[in-house]
């Protein structure tokens, strides 16, 4: 069932020209029998009265609807879900219809919409439609506009939507939001905004704090170590595929505890919309980084006239990492100092649980000895020479570990799992080392583990530096674009599919 769901999600969310839900969204209002077509325009042509293209939410499905006497009827089920962030890391979250974030809803301005909401959670919740100007009774404010929906119960929301823009739905119980209960709700204008875009993508930003070996995020913890785009972390995020010259819209939606400055390489965009819809062109600001605050949405648009696989990512350094946390221990830095004694280290850390909890047996936390590791996971359970799964203890050990790790990994045609980073022989003498050297997260080439049609033709080793809120906008020349799109349509994997790689877990 999981496979089928995954397949359907991929087809619906990613397949070019296969948009059951999206096609239907246009049918009623515009009487189109063929639905939106794959546009070949280059973005400069701007015929009036054109249908908007459907949005795509990479890695997330569209929610289909059925037409009931002119009302578009959707069905959302709030439920526990297993969300795979990247191969080997799946979290137990709460979401809708099998995923967190939940499926994307697309309707037209002016539509009458009914959403049947079932609660399959073990506790009450209430659904809020963020920014909708609808009757108070439909607002989903628990205790204010309605009683919460109790476990096993159903609430039917119905409203007419006169707005247009990038909206979202979410549980109005705060901690449930942090368990993943969010989804995009796109209100298409009757006619496409000008200039019309050829590609329109949705990216939802979420964050979780999950201890190693624990799949349940701690929603009380504000130190988030899993930062997601559409429920995936780099390098498992699916790249956005664009043909050179197309006009592109990205709709960024944030509901979490942090604000995210989302940065696009190689292109300059205009900020054309907020969580309240389209903005007047006179106030479009240009930029390459847009701050998406909590509970906000930002639409940005650009003409993709610069070919390349361009990174798109949150620019907060800690949001470009996986499994990064100071409270979970076993980090690269954890036992580094202590084990570096022989090689001239000056940062003895790596103490026991008591010290990690701030109960030092000697000295103080801000002392010269302990200071550098303060807030960096002071050795929960670490011992001087114990190997850890995500960090070397010294340079010699690091090389030894890498050697072992590489033995267990496959060497593909393009370099398999090898590292492309090196460290200098006297690295330990440099205060502050290591920072980005060696597997702060995984920092390993896992191209093959995350290969998919959308990654076809990427530079070998691309996955090494992709973590957290990172993906690509791939601006492809026509020939390459056609090849990738054809692979997406055929669901062909990327470079030479291989069996899953065995993960090395250290000793
Ligand atoms: Cu961020």
């Amino acid at each position: 069932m999981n496979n089928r769901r995954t397949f359907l999600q991929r087809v619906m969310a990613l397949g070019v020209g296969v948009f059951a839900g999206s096609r239907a969204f246009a049918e009623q209002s515009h009487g189109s029998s063929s639905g939106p077509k794959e546009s070949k325009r280059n973005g400069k042509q701007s015929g009036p009265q054109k249908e908007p293209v459907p949005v795509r939410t990479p890695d997330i499905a569209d929610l289909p609807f059925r037409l009931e006497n002119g009302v578009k009827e959707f069905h959302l089920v709030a439920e526990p879900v297993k969300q795979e962030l990247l191969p080997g890391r799946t979290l137990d979250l709460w979401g809708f219809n099998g995923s967190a974030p939940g499926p994307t809803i697309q309707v037209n301005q002016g539509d009458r919409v009914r959403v049947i909401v079932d609660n399959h959670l073990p506790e009450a919740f209430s659904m809020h439609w963020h920014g909708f100007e609808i009757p108070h009774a439909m607002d989903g404010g628990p205790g204010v506009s309605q009683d919460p929906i109790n476990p096993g119960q159903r609430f039917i929301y119905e409203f007419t939507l006169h707005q247009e823009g990038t909206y979202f739905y979410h549980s109005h119980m705060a901690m449930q939001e942090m368990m993943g209960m969010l989804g995009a709700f796109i209100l298409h204008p009757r006619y496409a905004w000008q200039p019309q875009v050829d590609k329109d993508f949705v990216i939802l930003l979420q964050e979780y704090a999950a201890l190693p070996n624990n799949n349940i995020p701690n929603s009380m913890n504000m130190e988030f170590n899993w930062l997601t785009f559409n429920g995936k972390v780099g390098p498992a995020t699916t790249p956005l595929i664009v043909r050179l010259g197309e006009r592109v819209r990205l709709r960024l939606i944030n509901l979490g505890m942090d604000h995210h400055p989302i940065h696009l390489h190689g292109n300059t965009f205009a900020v054309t919309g907020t969580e309240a819809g389209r903005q007047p062109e006179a106030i479009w600001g240009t930029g390459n980084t847009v701050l998406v605050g909590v509970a906000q949405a930002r639409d940005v648009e650009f003409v993709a006239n610069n070919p390349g696989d361009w990174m798109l990512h949150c620019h907060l350094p800690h949001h470009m990492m996986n499994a990064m946390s100071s409270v979970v221990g076993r980090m690269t830095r954890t036992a580094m100092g202590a084990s570096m004694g022989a090689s001239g280290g000056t940062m003895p850390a790596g103490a026991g649980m008591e010290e990690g909890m701030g109960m030092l047996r000697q000295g103080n936390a801000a002392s010269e000895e302990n200071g550098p590791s303060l807030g960096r996971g002071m050795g929960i359970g670490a011992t001087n020479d114990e190997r850890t799964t995500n960090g070397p203890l010294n340079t010699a050990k690091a090389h030894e570990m890498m050697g072992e790790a590489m033995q267990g990994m496959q060497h593909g045609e393009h370099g398999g799992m090898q590292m492309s980073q090196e460290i200098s022989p006297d690295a330990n003498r440099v205060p502050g080392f290591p920072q980005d050297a060696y597997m702060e997260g995984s920092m390993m080439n896992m191209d093959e583990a995350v290969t998919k049609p959308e990654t076809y033709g990427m530079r070998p080793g691309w996955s090494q530096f992709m973590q957290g809120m990172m993906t690509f906008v791939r601006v492809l020349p026509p020939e390459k674009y056609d090849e990738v799109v054809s692979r997406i349509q055929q669901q062909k994997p990327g470079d030479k599919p291989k069996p899953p790689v065995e993960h090395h877990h250290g000793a």
Side-chain angles (χ1 to χ4, degrees):
M1 192 186 79
N2 245 348
N3 284 341
R4 187 172 162 272
R5 171 170 281 161
T6 304
F7 172 75
L8 283 176
Q9 281 187 355
R10 292 185 59 78
V11 169
M12 293 181 67
L14 314 172
V16 174
V18 189
F19 291 99
S22 315
R23 173 183 301 162
F25 94 78
E27 268 172 14
Q28 186 202 11
S29 282
H30 309 306
S32 157
S33 55
S34 56
K37 293 173 187 66
E38 193 60 19
S39 174
K40 299 292 184 229
R41 282 181 307 280
N42 62 9
K44 289 169 198 126
Q45 193 174 322
S46 59
Q49 314 278 291
K50 291 272 176 58
E51 289 174 3
V53 297
V55 300
R56 297 165 194 187
T57 313
D59 300 307
I60 291 296
D62 280 316
L63 187 63
F65 65 85
R66 51 183 206 142
L67 218 45
E68 284 284 316
N69 295 321
V71 180
K72 287 181 178 172
E73 186 176 284
F74 295 89
H75 190 184
L76 279 175
V77 179
E79 60 183 358
V81 301
K82 293 206 178 292
Q83 181 70 36
E84 186 192 71
L85 306 186
L86 85 170
R89 192 63 164 122
T90 298
L91 294 187
D92 286 301
L93 302 177
W94 290 2
F96 300 97
N97 300 33
S99 68
T104 293
I105 296 176
Q106 304 189 50
V107 302
N108 293 311
Q109 182 182 25
D111 277 347
R112 182 76 177 168
V113 171
R114 181 181 304 129
V115 190
I116 300 168
V117 177
D118 284 323
N119 183 2
H120 292 184
L121 296 170
E123 63 184 39
F125 100 106
S126 184
M127 188 78 102
H128 176 57
W129 317 95
H130 196 94
F132 282 6
E133 296 170 352
I134 50 176
H136 184 259
M138 293 292 114
D139 185 56
V144 179
S145 63
Q146 67 173 88
D147 289 332
I149 313 169
N150 280 314
Q153 291 192 341
R154 164 179 289 186
F155 193 94
I156 299 175
Y157 297 87
E158 187 169 328
F159 32 70
T160 300
L161 294 166
H162 69 89
Q163 294 159 283
E164 52 183 41
T166 303
Y167 292 83
F168 47 101
Y169 61 88
H170 64 86
S171 164
H172 208 277
M173 321 295 253
M175 302 315 283
Q176 293 173 359
E177 292 173 7
M178 297 310 297
M179 282 294 278
M181 297 184 70
L182 161 71
F185 202 136
I186 305 302
L187 308 188
H188 288 284
R190 205 169 300 273
Y191 301 109
W193 293 316
Q194 297 298 323
Q196 189 174 2
V197 297
D198 303 285
K199 293 279 160 55
D200 199 340
F201 297 100
V202 175
I203 298 179
L204 298 117
L205 317 173
Q206 291 170 295
E207 52 195 352
Y208 304 102
L211 294 168
N213 303 316
N214 192 333
N215 298 329
I216 306 170
N218 177 358
S219 56
M220 301 289 284
N221 185 348
M222 293 198 288
E223 187 164 5
F224 302 100
N225 55 354
W226 292 100
L227 288 294
T228 64
F229 275 176
N230 292 339
K232 296 281 183 186
V233 299
T237 47
T238 297
L240 316 183
I241 305 301
V242 169
R243 178 196 281 264
L244 183 64
E246 284 185 324
R247 187 175 176 89
V248 180
R249 179 182 299 123
L250 309 177
R251 303 174 189 246
L252 308 160
I253 297 170
N254 177 19
L255 194 62
M257 291 287 293
D258 287 302
H259 313 301
H260 303 287
I262 304 297
H263 175 61
L264 174 64
H265 289 211
N267 294 270
T268 300
F269 54 61
V271 182
T272 59
T274 72
E275 67 282 353
R278 187 77 164 175
Q279 297 295 290
E281 189 164 347
I283 62 168
W284 291 358
T286 53
N288 49 54
T289 308
V290 60
L291 183 61
V292 190
V294 172
Q296 292 185 329
R298 288 291 179 270
D299 291 359
V300 303
E301 294 179 19
F302 59 98
V303 176
N305 54 16
N306 192 5
D309 298 329
W310 300 109
M311 282 184 172
L312 174 71
H313 62 93
C314 177
H315 221 297
L316 288 187
H318 286 192
H319 293 185
M320 294 187 266
M321 301 168 109
N322 288 337
M324 201 289 307
S325 176
S326 72
V327 296
V328 297
R330 296 293 177 106
M331 302 300 297
T332 305
R333 302 161 174 105
T334 301
M336 177 67 79
S339 68
M340 284 192 327
S343 52
T346 56
M347 305 190 303
M353 177 67 90
E354 291 81 4
E355 292 83 351
M357 301 289 284
M359 294 173 278
L360 291 173
R361 293 197 185 90
Q362 57 190 32
N364 62 71
S367 66
E368 194 167 335
E369 291 73 30
N370 296 320
S373 57
L374 184 64
R376 290 180 175 181
M378 286 180 58
I380 295 175
T383 56
N384 291 357
D385 269 334
E386 190 175 336
R387 299 178 185 193
T388 65
T389 53
N390 58 350
L393 301 180
N394 58 42
T395 50
K397 274 264 199 284
H399 287 295
E400 190 185 315
M401 280 176 64
M402 283 314 301
E404 287 174 13
M406 286 169 64
Q407 276 174 16
M409 293 168 176
Q410 294 181 343
H411 293 265
E413 187 184 339
H414 299 301
M417 304 291 283
Q418 78 205 22
M419 309 274 295
S420 66
Q421 291 192 91
E422 292 179 1
I423 55 175
S424 58
D426 61 348
N428 284 331
R429 298 186 188 284
V430 179
F433 172 83
Q435 292 300 326
D436 272 351
Y438 282 115
M439 297 193 282
E440 177 63 87
S442 61
M443 278 289 181
M444 287 191 294
N445 179 345
M446 53 187 294
D447 291 4
E448 290 174 13
V450 294
T451 192
K452 57 190 82 167
E454 290 83 353
T455 63
Y456 177 75
M458 299 275 300
R459 183 179 186 271
W462 64 271
S463 63
Q464 269 181 95
F465 302 94
M466 296 292 292
Q467 294 190 59
M469 288 179 163
M470 298 183 94
T471 188
F472 290 101
V473 176
R474 302 192 67 194
V475 180
L476 303 174
E479 205 169 288
K480 201 166 177 186
Y481 173 86
D482 290 341
E483 170 70 24
V484 170
V485 167
S486 137
R487 283 169 180 269
I488 294 170
Q489 285 169 337
Q490 297 166 51
Q491 285 300 297
K492 259 198 225 168
D495 292 309
K496 310 222 163 122
K498 300 233 168 79
V501 172
E502 269 182 62
H503 289 280
H504 180 83
H505 292 293

